[in-house]
């Protein structure tokens, strides 16, 4: 884009977008450091004081590039590339010894600490995480518009969106929710403020590069591209689609054609699992190819790939259009993916989105493990509770959370079958440390484990490498007001072929002392979602390409695209990208969702032989938790896997 276009977009205006490295810029003052030193007996001097122990350290308010933020992943890539140890130096022994060390401070790691302590109340536990904040994917973005600390707090999830799963929460996961005081269905009824956006609808933005003209159409294209029959004709009429594509859109949404006459429901379902939805649209329903871009990115939010890589039966389960005439029996099919199988099974509602998503679950767990970190006792009061990060890693606490600490080596002291201890080496602030524990839970990412622990059996390491985590970006943008949404009459806009595929106002709610903005004149958070991938390849390759793209994209490129997209989508409502933006946080997750098996590309393994079943077996004193171990990217799976891993170790 040209310099003058950059000026129109406001690329040179000052907003809240600080690119901090590793959190070191926060609380940079070293005041009062000596009083904290006893918490770190092995620290050599005040200069070694960890960032999280410095006054004012509070990562949720950092803007700029978050998620896998700069400083959190580079050493992991060195380990992968085999050049970490050359420059690592000799570790300093911390002299500590724990009952349990947990690698990874996401929901799974935090839940593992909780389950362990429930059975071993006196246990000493250390949680190590490479990020500057705890929670793993369940992170929070906290904004104070105008950069004024006393302005109204705006919150949004920086990752995990909600308590929401395709399958009912297990007894273990539901039990943990109840221990934390969380009752999702009840909270949704009590705290959502449905009236705030009462007059606002969903919309679809057709962009000129793909559809010939920029056009926002307000109307009833549903979450996965299904059209509500009553509004269908009116909606379709307003789109810039060519006549044939419009006709086919209506036909898909309202038609009743049986494309496979003579086949039973089971045979039809099986056939649909063997073709992508794109193939179904083009070769079975025979729609105009110009309709494909309307649907291409619909499944991105769930699967990280488009309709070229999602099977047609999965799309039937999501209620995408075209299947009515097939009269398929309800219920799941074994060749469907985990998520779609769940969608195909009716369930009682168990869904709630805290203002910061499931970061609240992480915060509740941390406060339960280390009560001095924040005041309060309920899920309601934790939403606005200020956390004192300097309490996370104190020598007087039996449970410690050490941030910005990447584990680089895990090794049994002796034969894994009989060793009494596991040694752990981690890098923090450029220095290598070693410590030890009687047991260890890997609540990190499966593909990372073979690099940390080469002593694992070869077959298990190969299986740990199989899944390719799904790259995703959740961008949070603070606008000075939401008058443009109000004027346009829209709250959530699907932008099927733009840089981000969705632009949406955050769910309004009032919980505890947190109150969402009610007037269009007030600042608001807008969520945008991007899932980089490369249509036409296998799903795993698409994720690899998407990740490489994500890691090489600068914040400036994100910002330019965000401003351009918001300007075009909301411009009709008077939005000015140079004037109306207050802050941007790009939550970049190159290693996002756990990989779910996709039988368009993956083999059908015999019972007990799928990669996760081989990958996640206990090895000596090490057990494997985390959602990769379930091949299903959900909070409940992360909790269930933590519970399994803890049980494996305690009963070994
Ligand atoms: C953008 C996004 C949105 C999501 N939305 C939802 C949702 O709405 N509902 C839902 O149920 N699920 C959702 N999920 C999935 C859900 O967040 C995860 O399944 C769950 O949080 C995973 O928890 P975990 O602890 O297993 O892994 P993580 O949260 O990934 O935590 C693992 C931690 O281990 C750290 N780690 C890795 N290697 C090392 C190392 N060598 N040393 C130290 N630390 C290490 C990682 O950096 C990370 O912090 C979402 C995921 C993403 C990415």
């Amino acid at each position: 884009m040209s310099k003058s276009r950059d000026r129109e977009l406001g690329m040179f205006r000052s907003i809240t977008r600080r690119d901090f490295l590793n959190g070191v810029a926060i609380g940079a003052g070293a005041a009062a450091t000596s009083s904290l030193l006893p918490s770190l007996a092995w620290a050599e001097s005040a200069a070694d004081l960890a960032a999280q122990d410095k006054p004012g350290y509070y990562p949720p308010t950092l803007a700029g590039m978050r998620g896998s933020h700069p400083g959190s992943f580079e050493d992991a890539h060195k380990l992968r590339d085999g050049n970490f140890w050359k420059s690592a130096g000799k570790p300093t022994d911390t002299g500590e010894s724990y009952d349990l060390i947990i690698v990874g401070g996401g929901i799974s790691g935090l839940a593992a600490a909780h389950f362990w302590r429930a059975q071993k109340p006196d246990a000493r536990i250390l949680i190590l995480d490479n990020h500057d904040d705890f929670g793993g994917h369940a992170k929070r973005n906290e904004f104070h518009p105008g950069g004024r600390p006393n302005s109204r707090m705006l919150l949004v999830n920086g990752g995990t969106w909600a308590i929401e799963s395709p399958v009912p929460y297990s007894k273990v996961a539901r039990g943990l929710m109840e221990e934390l005081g969380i009752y999702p269905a009840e909270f949704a009824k009590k705290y959502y403020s449905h009236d705030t956006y009462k007059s606002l609808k969903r919309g679809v933005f057709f962009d000129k590069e793909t559809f010939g003209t920029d056009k926002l159409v307000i109307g009833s294209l549903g979450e996965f591209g299904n059209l509500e029959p009553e509004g269908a004709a009116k909606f379709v009429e307003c789109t810039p689609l060519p006549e044939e594509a419009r006709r086919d859109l209506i036909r898909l949404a309202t038609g009743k054609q049986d494309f496979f006459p003579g086949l039973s429901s089971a045979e039809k379902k099986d056939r649909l699992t063997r073709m992508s939805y794109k193939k179904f649209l083009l070769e079975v329903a025979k729609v105009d190819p110009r309709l494909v871009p309307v649907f291409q990115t619909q499944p991105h939010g769930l699967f990280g790939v488009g309709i070229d890589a999602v099977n047609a039966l999965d799309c039937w389960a999501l209620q995408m259009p075209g299947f009515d005439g097939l009269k398929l029996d309800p219920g799941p099919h074994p060749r469907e993916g985990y998520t779609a199988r769940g969608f195909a099974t009716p369930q009682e509602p168990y869904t709630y989105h805290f203002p910061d998503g499931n970061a609240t679950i992480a915060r509740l767990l941390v406060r339960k493990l280390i009560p001095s970190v924040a005041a309060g006792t309920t899920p309601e009061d934790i939403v606005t509770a200020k956390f004192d990060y300097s309490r996370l890693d104190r020598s007087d606490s039996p449970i410690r959370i050490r941030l910005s600490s990447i584990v680089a080596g895990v090794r049994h002291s002796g034969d894994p079958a009989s060793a009494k201890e596991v040694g752990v080496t981690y890098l923090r602030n450029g220095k290598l440390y070693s410590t030890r524990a009687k047991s260890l839970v890997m609540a990190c990412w499966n593909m990372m484990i073979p690099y940390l622990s080469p002593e694992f059996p070869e077959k298990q390491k190969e299986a740990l490498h199989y899944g390719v985590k799904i790259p995703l970006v959740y961008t949070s943008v603070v606008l000075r007001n939401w008058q443009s949404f109000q004027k346009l009459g829209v709250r959530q806009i699907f932008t099927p072929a733009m840089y981000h595929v969705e632009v949406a106002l955050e769910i309004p709610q009032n919980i505890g002392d947190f109150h969402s903005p009610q007037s269009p004149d007030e600042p608001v958070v807008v969520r945008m979602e991007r899932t980089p991938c490369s249509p036409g390849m296998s799903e795993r390759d698409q994720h690899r390409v998407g990740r490489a793209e994500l890691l090489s994209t600068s914040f400036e490129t994100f910002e330019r695209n965000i401003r351009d997209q918001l300007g075009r989508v909301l411009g009709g409502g008077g939005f000015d990208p140079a004037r109306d933006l207050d802050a941007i946080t790009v939550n970049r997750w190159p290693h996002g969702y756990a990989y779910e098996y996709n039988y368009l590309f993956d083999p059908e393994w015999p019972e007990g032989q799928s990669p996760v079943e081989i990958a996640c077996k206990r090895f000596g004193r090490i057990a494997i938790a985390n959602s990769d171990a379930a091949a299903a990217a959900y909070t409940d799976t992360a909790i269930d896997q933590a519970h399994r891993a803890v049980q494996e170790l305690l009963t070994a």
Side-chain angles (χ1 to χ4, degrees):
M1 282 189 210
S2 67
K3 276 256 154 55
S4 66
R5 177 67 182 145
D6 271 1
R7 253 192 301 278
E8 274 167 32
L9 293 175
M11 282 299 289
F12 310 110
R13 302 272 179 106
S14 104
I15 53 160
T16 312
R17 53 153 177 216
R18 287 154 286 160
D19 278 314
F20 284 86
L21 190 67
N22 214 10
V24 287
I26 16 167
T33 52
S34 56
S35 65
L36 294 168
L37 275 176
S39 72
L40 302 165
W42 41 272
E44 284 152 17
S45 70
D48 284 340
L49 193 68
Q52 75 187 63
D53 290 331
K54 292 181 180 167
Y57 184 90
Y58 194 65
T61 50
L62 292 180
M65 201 69 106
R66 299 294 296 155
S68 284
H69 56 79
S72 64
F73 59 88
E74 295 81 349
D75 291 305
H77 291 176
K78 280 191 196 162
L79 263 177
R80 175 200 62 194
D81 299 339
N83 50 25
F84 175 88
W85 294 105
K86 278 182 239 155
S87 55
K90 224 174 130 16
T92 303
D93 189 340
T94 66
E96 300 161 327
S97 173
Y98 293 91
D99 295 301
L100 176 69
I101 288 181
I102 298 171
V103 184
I107 298 255
S108 200
L110 297 170
H114 172 84
F115 292 134
W116 189 282
R117 192 186 54 176
Q119 295 183 60
K120 300 273 176 194
D122 299 326
R124 285 179 44 75
I125 302 175
L126 173 68
I127 301 173
L128 295 161
D129 195 284
N130 56 319
H131 288 102
D132 61 14
D133 200 355
F134 58 80
H137 293 145
K139 292 256 175 28
R140 140 189 182 119
N141 293 162
E142 182 177 321
F143 296 99
H144 296 270
R148 294 183 302 275
N150 294 331
S151 59
R152 177 209 283 272
M153 178 193 284
L154 294 177
L155 288 175
V156 68
N157 53 301
T160 318
W161 153 249
I163 298 168
E164 188 177 52
S165 179
V167 303
Y169 269 44
S170 67
K171 205 168 154 213
V172 164
R174 195 180 272 250
L176 180 59
M177 293 302 108
E178 287 172 13
E179 266 188 82
L180 297 175
I182 301 174
Y183 297 88
E186 201 179 292
F187 282 16
K189 274 200 206 112
K190 241 163 77 182
Y191 300 132
Y192 286 165
S193 161
H194 293 292
D195 283 350
T196 313
Y197 304 150
K198 207 166 49 188
S199 60
L200 308 184
K201 298 196 166 64
R202 283 173 189 275
V204 180
F205 186 80
F206 295 87
D207 62 283
K208 65 172 180 290
E209 294 86 344
T210 317
F211 301 101
T213 182
D214 275 356
K215 187 158 190 203
L216 176 64
V217 183
I218 313 290
S220 57
L221 193 72
E223 192 172 1
F224 294 109
N226 51 338
L227 276 167
E228 288 151 25
E230 50 295 1
K234 193 156 168 264
F235 173 85
V236 171
E237 202 179 292
C238 296
T239 68
L241 294 168
E243 189 48 43
E244 299 79 0
R246 288 185 193 191
R247 196 193 53 221
D248 285 347
L249 184 51
I250 301 263
R251 178 165 65 85
L252 266 188
T254 58
K256 300 275 181 264
Q257 188 181 346
D258 183 352
F259 298 112
F260 304 131
L263 295 191
S264 68
S265 167
E267 287 163 340
K268 289 174 185 172
K269 280 182 154 185
D270 190 72
R271 191 176 280 195
L272 291 170
T273 66
R274 295 172 196 277
M275 67 176 83
S276 69
Y277 185 60
K278 182 176 177 184
K279 188 167 177 174
F280 170 80
L281 288 180
L282 292 174
E283 295 177 22
V284 177
K286 297 197 176 8
V287 304
D288 188 290
R290 289 167 293 182
L291 196 49
V292 169
V294 175
F295 293 101
Q296 175 60 31
T297 57
Q298 292 274 1
H300 269 207
L302 277 181
F303 304 119
V305 282
I307 58 169
D308 59 294
V310 177
N311 80 52
L313 194 68
D314 282 9
C315 293
W316 162 78
L318 304 186
Q319 298 182 5
M320 290 180 72
F323 301 103
D324 280 2
L326 291 173
K327 303 225 171 333
L328 300 175
D329 293 339
H333 184 281
R335 279 177 51 83
E336 274 180 288
Y338 177 90
T339 296
R341 259 181 282 149
F343 267 80
T345 315
Q347 279 158 43
E348 54 155 339
Y350 191 77
T351 299
Y352 175 62
H353 164 75
F354 280 102
D356 59 2
N358 289 2
T360 285
I361 298 180
R363 282 159 61 93
L364 283 167
L365 278 166
V366 168
R367 189 173 64 180
K368 214 166 168 48
L369 295 167
I370 307 170
S372 63
V373 77
T377 53
T378 67
E380 285 84 357
D381 68 40
I382 208 152
V383 175
T384 48
K386 186 90 184 169
F387 270 47
D388 177 356
Y389 279 70
S390 75
R391 311 302 304 187
L392 291 177
D393 187 13
R394 308 280 298 197
S395 57
D396 55 1
S397 167
I399 300 190
R400 306 174 70 164
I401 300 177
R402 198 162 291 164
L403 300 170
S404 304
S405 300
I406 184 152
V407 174
V410 170
R411 184 171 283 279
H412 287 92
S413 34
D415 179 357
S418 54
K420 297 274 178 284
E421 257 184 6
V422 184
V424 173
T425 312
Y426 64 92
L427 187 81
R428 189 186 213 196
N429 202 15
K431 284 194 180 161
L432 211 53
Y433 297 97
S434 64
T435 182
R436 60 196 64 75
K438 294 194 189 97
S439 299
L440 186 133
V441 170
M442 295 279 196
C444 51
W445 299 332
N446 272 9
M447 81 292 174
M448 187 74 201
I449 295 172
Y451 300 118
L452 308 186
S453 203
E455 64 178 359
F456 268 66
E458 287 308 315
K459 192 169 171 211
Q460 190 167 358
K461 285 195 280 189
E462 198 185 311
L464 283 160
H465 271 308
Y466 187 84
V468 178
K469 285 177 91 66
I470 299 176
L472 295 150
V473 184
Y474 277 15
T475 299
S476 313
V477 183
V478 176
L479 304 185
R480 295 191 206 285
N481 59 66
W482 45 285
Q483 287 156 353
S484 50
F485 283 87
Q486 183 72 25
K487 281 191 193 131
L488 292 166
V490 72
R491 63 183 156 78
Q492 185 174 8
I493 306 163
F494 176 48
T495 48
M498 294 188 91
Y499 195 73
H500 289 83
V501 297
E502 188 179 65
V503 175
L505 290 171
E506 183 39 7
I507 292 184
Q509 59 179 311
N510 300 303
I511 171 169
D513 288 338
F514 177 83
H515 302 282
S516 292
Q518 295 296 310
S519 155
D521 298 332
E522 292 177 279
V524 78
V525 189
V526 168
R527 292 184 294 105
M528 299 174 79
E529 197 175 316
R530 171 172 173 77
T531 316
C533 57
S534 187
M537 298 176 154
S538 72
E539 180 177 339
R540 292 189 306 151
D541 281 348
Q542 293 206 37
H543 299 325
R544 291 187 179 107
V545 172
R547 170 172 318 131
E549 183 216 293
L550 197 46
L551 284 168
S552 59
T553 304
S554 67
F555 182 83
E556 187 185 335
T557 300
F558 273 104
E559 180 176 349
R560 187 174 285 113
N561 279 296
I562 291 161
R563 287 179 181 274
D564 175 63
Q565 183 164 355
L566 290 178
R568 288 165 63 187
V569 172
L570 300 171
F575 180 84
D576 176 352
R579 183 195 58 204
D580 295 334
L581 252 121
D582 185 70
I584 298 175
T585 296
V586 175
N587 297 286
R588 164 182 72 172
W589 298 111
H591 302 277
Y593 294 165
Y595 181 72
E596 233 182 62
Y597 297 133
N598 177 342
Y599 298 109
L600 279 182
F601 307 103
D602 295 317
E604 285 177 72
W605 294 280
E607 178 85 23
Q609 290 306 306
S610 72
V612 279
E613 287 166 299
I614 297 168
C616 297
K617 295 209 158 70
R618 178 179 62 83
F619 175 60
R621 291 182 168 263
I622 304 173
I624 298 174
N626 97 75
S627 61
D628 288 344
Y634 294 95
T635 298
D636 54 329
T637 58
I639 296 168
D640 290 340
Q641 294 303 320
H643 190 262
R644 177 195 48 72
V646 163
Q647 288 313 111
E648 280 176 8
L649 288 169
L650 288 177
T651 55

